[in-house]
Amino acid sequence: MSEVPVNNKPLGGAHNDVRRDSETYEYDNVGPGERDCDKPTASGIEDGKMEINGDDKAHDSDLRTIRKLLQIMIPYGGMLSTGFNMASTSIGAGILGLPAAFHSVGIIMATVYLVLITAETIYSTRLLVQVSERTGLRSFEEMARQLLHPRADIVVAILRALHTIGCSVAYVVTIGDLLRPILASFDSTPAFLRETKGIRLLQSGFWLVFMLPLVFQRQINSLRYVSAVGILFILYFAVVVVVHSAMNGMSANPRPAVRLVNTGNTALEGLGVIIFSYMCQINCVEVALEMRPRSLRRLTLCAFFSMTICGLLYFVTGLFGYLDFGEVEGSILLKYNPLEQPQIFVSYIGVFIKICASFGLLNNACRSALFPLIGWDPYTVAYWKYLIGAVLLAVLDLMLGLFVPNVTMVLGFTGGVCGGSVGFILPALFIMYSGGWTLRSVGIVNYTCTYLVLFAGVVGVVFGTAATIYSAVGG
């Protein structure tokens, strides 16, 4: 594949010699005080180091051993941690809406959408990192300001913030979807907790205890362990969906009715949900900045493996969830009774861990988009300012999430408007305007693929958004 020429420019102000894909290189500054994995983390504890109190030496020794093993298995900035963070950014509430998306568009078209969007997500991620290499720009906003228009960064920051806020709102809504079947299974559940007000109170409590603390971390890699655990639980959830479908819906007589292909506006309603389910582009540059050693080839491999795994999980969950219940609207979680089936209950816990990890990652991306608009560098701003901004954004997510009636409405609209523009249109425009981008310089394959990514973004924005709005108004 022909490469776009790379200029030897520093990335983010650091002194680097940028090389070809096949070569690796390290950055002198990829974050505040972070150079190697033994540097202090946002919690103030150095990776691999922990103070040992005299009364708890044996216990602390065990913790140190576990910590070192985790660093060996998932090293800071390594390919595995990078892949987990990219997959964790993608996998979240979107996977819960995929059975409904299969019901909307039909099995065949949903499969086609998944294959195409997986491939285009990988390539658009590569484009963003490639632009960062060529220009030394380290965020969507800097790229928009330098490559498109001096004020384009404001529009891009708002779009990226809207996407991350939409995702975070979907996670808050998902907490309610997790709680409703559990509370409904107990006859002793107080009537107040069965009502909307009671559910909102519990959502707020879970947000405060489990989700809010994860926005305190300044570095994305600080969440790599939670991300890894969350991805493993989502894998378990997909297995549970398959087994439940085989034992119930697929063995029922008669089986639930399913569609291979759908037509009309309904066939487009699931497009935004599927686009939403990917979107690792939203903070892939920030993730790339923390990778060590970093190269375009390594980032492309991480994107390929993480997005392929995501695509397989999406296909399995969407297909078998649809075959299990037939007509599905909203989150698949509302179709199960977790207390009657222990494996379902365990998967609920796993989904909860996963959305908590993704909530922290998306809060990081939202800060990266909005902080520069008020003159704050998200990596170097005083921690108390950083903390105020992070907490205010998290509170906004909670307030919106408490009053959204249906998670698929958030998924479809966010995936259509923000996913199509930030995920596909902008990466294509950035590489086109980064300089020296011609058919002769990049080759027919890169040239064609870039325009396909641009076309996919336009389709997602126009048709995905219109179908979601039509469905919301009609509903």
Side-chain angles (χ1 to χ4, degrees):
M1 182 180 293
S2 178
E3 295 289 337
V4 175
V6 177
N7 297 324
N8 291 332
K9 294 184 179 181
L11 179 58
H15 177 69
N16 306 297
D17 291 326
V18 182
R19 306 172 185 173
R20 296 178 180 269
D21 310 59
S22 57
E23 300 178 69
T24 59
Y25 54 92
E26 297 187 11
Y27 291 95
D28 289 337
N29 64 339
V30 294
E34 293 284 359
R35 187 180 177 89
D36 284 305
C37 61
D38 59 348
K39 289 294 183 180
T41 62
S43 63
I45 300 177
E46 296 185 3
D47 284 350
K49 298 181 181 180
M50 184 177 291
E51 293 183 3
I52 303 179
N53 298 324
D55 297 333
D56 301 313
K57 288 184 177 180
H59 176 68
D60 289 341
S61 178
D62 293 338
L63 291 177
R64 290 174 59 191
T65 301
I66 294 173
R67 188 179 181 86
K68 289 180 179 179
L69 288 175
L70 287 174
Q71 290 174 14
I72 293 173
M73 292 185 295
I74 312 177
Y76 184 99
M79 290 191 69
L80 191 58
S81 64
T82 300
F84 272 130
N85 281 330
M86 294 178 75
S88 185
T89 303
S90 300
I91 297 180
I95 195 172
L96 306 177
L98 283 173
F102 269 70
H103 171 65
S104 296
V105 304
I107 295 176
I108 294 178
M109 284 308 301
T111 304
V112 172
Y113 284 159
L114 283 173
V115 172
L116 292 177
I117 295 175
T118 298
E120 291 178 345
T121 299
I122 296 168
Y123 193 76
S124 62
T125 301
R126 175 185 173 87
L127 292 180
L128 285 171
V129 177
Q130 199 169 36
V131 171
S132 182
E133 285 185 0
R134 298 187 56 176
T135 62
L137 304 173
R138 66 178 189 176
S139 71
F140 268 90
E141 292 71 33
E142 289 182 3
M143 293 176 187
R145 182 172 58 252
Q146 296 295 327
L147 302 177
L148 301 182
H149 188 274
R151 297 296 180 88
D153 60 321
I154 299 175
V155 177
V156 171
I158 292 173
L159 282 172
R160 196 154 76 111
L162 285 175
H163 180 270
T164 55
I165 290 173
C167 296
S168 300
V169 169
Y171 295 145
V172 175
V173 176
T174 301
I175 296 296
D177 292 339
L178 288 167
L179 292 173
R180 284 186 179 87
I182 296 175
L183 295 174
S185 300
F186 287 104
D187 295 332
S188 58
T189 301
F192 173 73
L193 295 181
R194 295 175 183 268
E195 299 174 355
T196 301
K197 292 181 180 179
I199 295 293
R200 288 173 179 170
L201 178 63
L202 290 177
Q203 282 177 277
S204 302
F206 275 84
W207 170 88
L208 179 65
V209 175
F210 298 104
M211 300 175 78
L212 181 63
L214 292 179
V215 310
F216 298 159
Q217 303 294 329
R218 192 193 294 261
Q219 292 293 311
I220 292 177
N221 262 288
S222 301
L223 300 173
R224 63 191 186 275
Y225 301 138
V226 181
S227 297
V229 173
I231 293 297
L232 293 177
F233 268 118
I234 290 295
L235 178 61
Y236 172 77
F237 174 73
V239 173
V240 168
V241 170
V242 174
V243 173
H244 189 276
S245 178
M247 296 178 62
N248 294 273
M250 295 178 65
S251 60
N253 189 15
R255 295 181 181 179
V258 296
R259 304 164 179 163
L260 295 179
V261 179
N262 206 354
T263 59
N265 182 75
T266 307
L268 296 172
E269 291 178 8
L271 178 59
V273 176
I274 295 175
I275 293 177
F276 176 93
S277 301
Y278 286 86
M279 288 308 299
C280 70
Q281 305 98 320
I282 201 71
N283 63 351
C284 70
V285 175
E286 287 86 348
V287 171
L289 287 170
E290 297 182 13
M291 190 177 189
R292 299 182 178 86
R294 180 191 164 202
S295 73
L296 183 60
R297 174 171 293 181
R298 283 165 59 85
L299 260 299
T300 303
L301 286 175
C302 284
F304 174 79
F305 287 113
S306 61
M307 291 303 102
T308 300
I309 291 172
C310 289
L312 291 174
L313 288 176
Y314 294 157
F315 175 76
V316 168
T317 305
L319 175 63
F320 285 94
Y322 182 37
L323 294 176
D324 194 358
F325 299 105
E327 184 174 353
V328 181
E329 295 181 0
S331 174
I332 189 68
L333 296 176
L334 299 174
K335 293 290 187 177
Y336 297 111
N337 189 331
L339 296 184
E340 292 183 357
Q341 298 168 304
Q343 71 276 15
I344 298 292
F345 186 77
V346 173
S347 68
Y348 272 42
I349 296 174
V351 170
F352 176 74
I353 293 174
K354 175 63 196 66
I355 63 176
C356 287
S358 294
F359 187 84
L361 288 169
L362 290 168
N363 189 279
N364 181 289
C366 193
R367 297 190 304 265
S368 297
L370 294 180
F371 279 16
L373 296 182
I374 57 176
W376 291 2
D377 187 323
Y379 287 103
T380 60
V381 68
Y383 185 72
W384 68 270
K385 293 182 179 180
Y386 156 86
L387 194 60
I388 290 174
V391 172
L392 287 178
L393 289 173
V395 171
L396 175 63
D397 297 333
L398 173 66
M399 293 297 101
L400 294 174
L402 293 178
F403 297 97
V404 172
N406 192 313
V407 70
T408 54
M409 184 185 302
V410 181
L411 303 183
F413 184 79
T414 304
V417 175
C418 304
S421 57
V422 175
F424 300 120
I425 294 177
L426 288 177
L429 292 179
F430 288 159
I431 194 66
M432 289 176 180
Y433 287 95
S434 61
W437 191 87
T438 63
L439 174 60
R440 184 173 182 179
S441 65
V442 302
I444 186 62
V445 175
N446 282 324
Y447 192 85
T448 303
C449 289
T450 303
Y451 270 104
L452 287 176
V453 168
L454 180 63
F455 178 74
V458 173
V459 171
V461 170
V462 175
F463 293 100
T465 305
T468 302
I469 295 175
Y470 180 84
S471 176
V473 173

